Amino acid sequence: MRIRALAAASALATGAVLLTAPAGHAAPARVAPCTQGELTVRAAAVAAEPTVVRFSVTNRGGRACTVERVPVVSFGGLDGAALPVRDGGTGTYRIGARETAYAAVRTIGDPADPEARRAHSVYVSDAPGRWGGVFSARRLGTGTRVLVWEPVTTWWQPSRAAADREIGLG
């Protein structure tokens, strides 16, 4: 019984501290997920590095909203999706009104890899099961196909440069 009483007293003290915390330290208000109509998805291969595709999602809405922390990137006609370059990819990423988030995918480590698969398009979405954008290899700038083998993707980032660093560019 003593443990329960101590736990209850501790919880009450913690609650009192949280209720009196200064406004700057309060927990942020929950931000609703973005709706499909609010988002625009874009993608293009990196000219000097055609095995890397950069993409962005722009919140055209008038309020902040959230997308999944790791974008969904899959390849036309192939099974599976790109995996995050670092663990801990669950959660959300906040995009302010009229702001853009950036990510990148490395489609293949070595273009000469004999196990490389070929896709005619790349699909990018902000969350599983939601509409995103389908980009043909030609539109991306990779020619008639995208070489794919063990693709990895970054989390959404606040800038193109941050996404480039995450994927190992400059």
Side-chain angles (χ1 to χ4, degrees), residues 32-36 38-39 59 63-67 95 126 130:
C34 299
T35 61
Q36 290 184 198
E38 293 174 308
L39 301 176
N59 175 3
R63 65 174 180 87
C65 60
T66 61
V67 294
I95 304 175
D126 65 298
R130 288 184 36 134

Side-chain angles (χ1 to χ4, degrees), residues 29-48:
R30 182 164 166 83
V31 178
C34 299
T35 61
Q36 290 184 198
E38 293 174 308
L39 301 176
T40 300
V41 179
R42 292 186 173 86
V46 175

Side-chain angles (χ1 to χ4, degrees), residues 52-78:
V52 175
V53 176
R54 287 184 184 127
F55 36 93
S56 65
V57 62
T58 300
N59 175 3
R60 295 177 293 124
R63 65 174 180 87
C65 60
T66 61
V67 294
E68 292 298 315
R69 181 178 296 158
V70 178
V72 176
V73 182
S74 59
F75 303 88
L78 302 178

Side-chain angles (χ1 to χ4, degrees), residues 9 29 46 54 61 91 105 127 147 150:
V46 175
R54 287 184 184 127
V105 63
L147 293 176
E150 298 179 346

Side-chain angles (χ1 to χ4, degrees), residues 81-166:
L83 298 174
V85 292
R86 58 184 163 127
D87 291 334
T90 60
T92 59
Y93 182 87
R94 182 185 179 279
I95 304 175
R98 311 219 190 314
E99 290 184 358
T100 301
Y102 303 87
V105 63
R106 182 173 301 282
T107 64
I108 188 168
D110 177 7
D113 190 328
E115 296 195 55
R117 302 295 182 253
R118 286 151 182 78
H120 295 290
S121 62
V122 174
Y123 166 80
V124 180
S125 176
D126 65 298
R130 288 184 36 134
W131 179 87
V134 178
F135 304 91
S136 70
R138 231 178 257 300
R139 184 172 171 197
L140 290 171
T142 62
T144 59
R145 68 199 187 311
V146 177
L147 293 176
V148 181
W149 189 250
E150 298 179 346
V152 293
T153 187
T154 67
W155 295 7
W156 291 111
Q157 301 292 323
S159 69
R160 183 177 291 142
D164 284 356
R165 281 190 300 276
E166 286 284 316

